[in-house]
Amino acid sequence: MPLPIPTHDTLRQEVKTYLKHKGNLTMAAQERGMARSTLRDHMRLATQEGLLDVAKVAGLKTLVADEINCVASAKEALKEKREAAAQRATLKASQDEVKELQAQVEAMEKERDALLEMEHHKWTGRIPTYNSSKGNAIPILMVSDLHLDERVDPAQIAGCENEYNPEIAKARLQKVFQHGLFMIDVMRGMAKIDQMALAILGDLQSGAIHDELVETNHMTPIQAALFAEEELGKGIEHLLSKGNFDKIIIPTSHGNHDRDTDKSRCKDGAAHSLAWLVYRMLAKNFRNEKRLEWHIATGYHNYVKFWDTTVRFHHGDNITYSGGVGGITVPIRKAIANWNTVHPTTYDLMGHFHQKTDGGDFVVNGSLVGYSEYSLSIKARFERPCQTLVLLDQKMGKTLTAEVFVE
């Protein structure tokens, strides 16, 4: 059926809506709530009845087209601005990169100029050759904690390859004198050395102070004493024949393992020590050797003065150490401080602890036996077998502490 013809008032409202949307039939039809084709027919009818000026509509369409063109132009201009902005950002980044590269080039040119200057630089002077005045010095070879009779079985110390028996002990002790003398010859390039000290500080044997040692040692205490006397005698002969010394000073100390009593004694400790007997036997055997100066201690301490420097020699067993975070240094320093109230001393040289340690005013020797079953039981830190050589300068005091390798 044909649609009813709208009234003039309805057409006027539709024309008004049509013009409002600038000739956009779709938007005008949506606002009027009608089909687009229906609105198009109404606009034709309105034109026929003179309600809608064709020229006005054409102008309106032209205006719309102009606005569309303006929008397009604006979009194009915006695109050009964005491209220009992007180009400016790229240019700025390029300029920054150029500045950075230029700075690097300048730095490299400065470095190059400095190197060229160094290449062509002529030193105005040279360090003069050092002419040593070779002041007097005395090397002190520390020999202690030999435990010549002890057996160390590596099978009983998992993870440790140390083995010890009289044959190994003999070989290691020979190296003490060989390597010690070699090191002294090296020191002669730094100082005038015409005498030395051989400090024998006890525990020449493990002895019979524990039942397990009686069971496992390779020798009886008397046999171990004779063995120590023979091997130490060979070492002293080596120093006399090969060392070119005017004098060899031999301070001694008895240890705690060398005793023939169940417990260590404060009184007459030396008289109950097989080490003390060995020293007396050695001194007797070398009684005609005028280059040897013996200082065989009958008490715990043995004081020897080298020029104006006093050194206190002792085994070290009178210092109580039962573990602790501070290690052996703390009890040693306490003991030294108290002993110095009786007899002020510059240095203390000792053994006993099997830990080569240079504490400045004291030196602790290592051991010839090395890490053993006992070391494992007390949770001691591992230390390879060694002895110690100390260089005492007449003016400067203790200037060097060196490990004497025995393996």
Side-chain angles (χ1 to χ4, degrees):
M1 295 179 60
L3 294 174
I5 298 173
T7 63
H8 277 60
D9 291 336
T10 300
L11 287 175
R12 288 192 187 95
Q13 290 298 327
E14 292 173 355
V15 168
K16 185 177 180 181
T17 302
Y18 176 72
L19 295 175
K20 174 183 175 183
H21 290 286
K22 301 178 181 180
N24 190 319
L25 283 171
T26 301
M27 294 181 66
Q30 288 176 355
E31 183 175 337
R32 295 300 297 173
M34 56 195 311
R36 184 177 181 278
S37 57
T38 303
L39 181 60
R40 183 182 62 247
D41 293 340
H42 287 189
M43 289 303 102
R44 289 175 181 171
L45 181 60
T47 301
Q48 293 174 1
E49 295 186 4
L51 296 176
L52 182 61
D53 190 350
V54 175
K56 186 175 183 180
V57 172
L60 182 59
K61 290 183 178 181
T62 301
L63 179 61
V64 170
D66 292 342
E67 288 184 2
I68 291 173
N69 293 333
C70 289
V71 170
S73 299
K75 287 182 179 180
E76 186 66 27
L78 180 60
K79 180 180 178 181
E80 292 176 357
K81 287 182 179 180
R82 286 177 177 173
E83 291 176 353
Q87 291 176 356
R88 287 195 298 272
T90 302
L91 178 61
K92 178 65 167 57
S94 299
Q95 289 174 343
D96 292 341
E97 186 177 356
V98 169
K99 288 181 180 179
E100 183 177 351
L101 291 173
Q102 186 174 359
Q104 292 179 7
V105 169
E106 291 176 356
M108 293 173 66
E109 288 177 345
K110 289 181 179 179
E111 185 175 353
R112 178 205 60 192
D113 294 342
L115 290 172
L116 290 174
E117 184 178 354
M118 288 176 62
E119 182 181 358
H120 298 292
H121 179 70
K122 293 183 178 180
W123 308 113
T124 57
R126 295 183 180 275
I127 298 176
T129 301
Y130 173 67
N131 295 317
S132 172
S133 59
K134 290 194 175 182
N136 293 322
I138 291 181
I140 303 174
L141 180 60
M142 299 173 66
V143 176
S144 72
D145 303 282
L146 307 182
H147 299 274
L148 297 171
D149 55 342
E150 186 168 338
R151 183 191 75 187
V152 176
D153 184 359
Q156 298 185 30
I157 317 171
C160 179
E161 298 180 357
N162 185 42
E163 182 178 2
Y164 199 64
N165 55 50
E167 288 302 316
I168 294 176
K170 180 179 178 179
R172 289 182 183 178
L173 186 57
Q174 288 179 359
K175 286 183 172 63
V176 171
F177 293 103
Q178 292 171 342
H179 296 174
L181 189 55
F182 172 79
M183 295 168 70
I184 291 172
D185 287 338
V186 173
M187 292 175 179
R188 280 179 162 138
M190 301 181 289
K192 180 183 178 182
I193 297 175
D194 51 22
Q195 54 183 311
M196 70 163 290
L198 174 64
I200 312 176
L201 303 179
D203 277 7
L204 309 184
Q205 60 178 269
S206 293
I209 64 174
H210 301 302
D211 291 340
E212 61 179 341
L213 294 176
V214 175
E215 256 182 55
T216 59
N217 283 345
H218 287 279
M219 307 175 188
T220 67
I222 298 298
Q223 290 172 326
L226 293 174
F227 183 55
E229 187 267 342
E230 181 178 357
E231 296 307 317
L232 287 172
K234 292 178 183 178
I236 294 172
E237 286 181 348
H238 181 73
L239 296 177
L240 287 169
S241 62
K242 304 294 184 181
N244 192 27
F245 297 109
D246 296 336
K247 182 192 292 186
I248 299 177
I249 303 167
I250 306 180
T252 70
S253 176
H254 57 276
N256 60 307
H257 273 265
D258 308 293
R259 68 181 187 267
D260 62 3
T261 58
D262 289 338
K263 295 182 179 180
S264 297
R265 294 191 174 188
C266 299
K267 296 179 182 294
D268 294 332
H272 288 276
S273 172
L274 291 173
W276 183 74
L277 177 62
V278 170
Y279 305 147
R280 296 296 298 270
M281 292 167 61
L282 286 169
K284 184 178 180 180
N285 292 338
F286 287 99
R287 60 183 177 275
N288 296 324
E289 180 52 70
K290 304 302 181 184
R291 289 175 291 173
L292 296 182
E293 180 180 303
W294 293 87
H295 294 261
I296 301 176
T298 56
Y300 178 74
H301 285 147
N302 193 349
Y303 292 92
V304 179
K305 194 167 186 178
F306 302 94
W307 304 295
D308 295 329
T309 302
T310 301
V311 178
R312 179 165 45 219
F313 296 94
H314 51 101
H315 180 64
D317 57 307
N318 270 12
I319 299 174
T320 303
Y321 171 62
S322 302
V325 178
I328 61 175
T329 299
V330 175
I332 289 176
R333 291 212 175 280
K334 288 182 178 179
I336 290 175
N338 291 331
W339 288 333
N340 281 345
T341 63
V342 180
H343 194 306
T345 305
T346 308
Y347 303 108
D348 278 72
L349 269 61
M350 69 193 80
H352 182 63
F353 295 103
H354 294 210
Q355 296 180 27
K356 185 182 72 66
T357 306
D358 185 351
D361 57 349
F362 72 85
V363 177
V364 179
N365 195 21
S367 71
L368 199 69
V369 62
Y371 200 79
S372 66
E373 297 89 343
Y374 178 72
S375 305
L376 178 67
S377 70
I378 64 172
K379 295 170 283 297
R381 64 177 172 83
F382 176 81
E383 181 171 301
R384 59 190 174 191
C386 72
Q387 298 288 268
T388 307
L389 183 63
V390 176
L391 185 64
L392 191 66
D393 186 87
Q394 182 177 5
K395 295 181 179 180
M396 304 298 293
K398 180 172 68 68
T399 57
L400 180 65
T401 302
E403 180 177 343
V404 180
F405 300 106
V406 299
E407 294 182 303

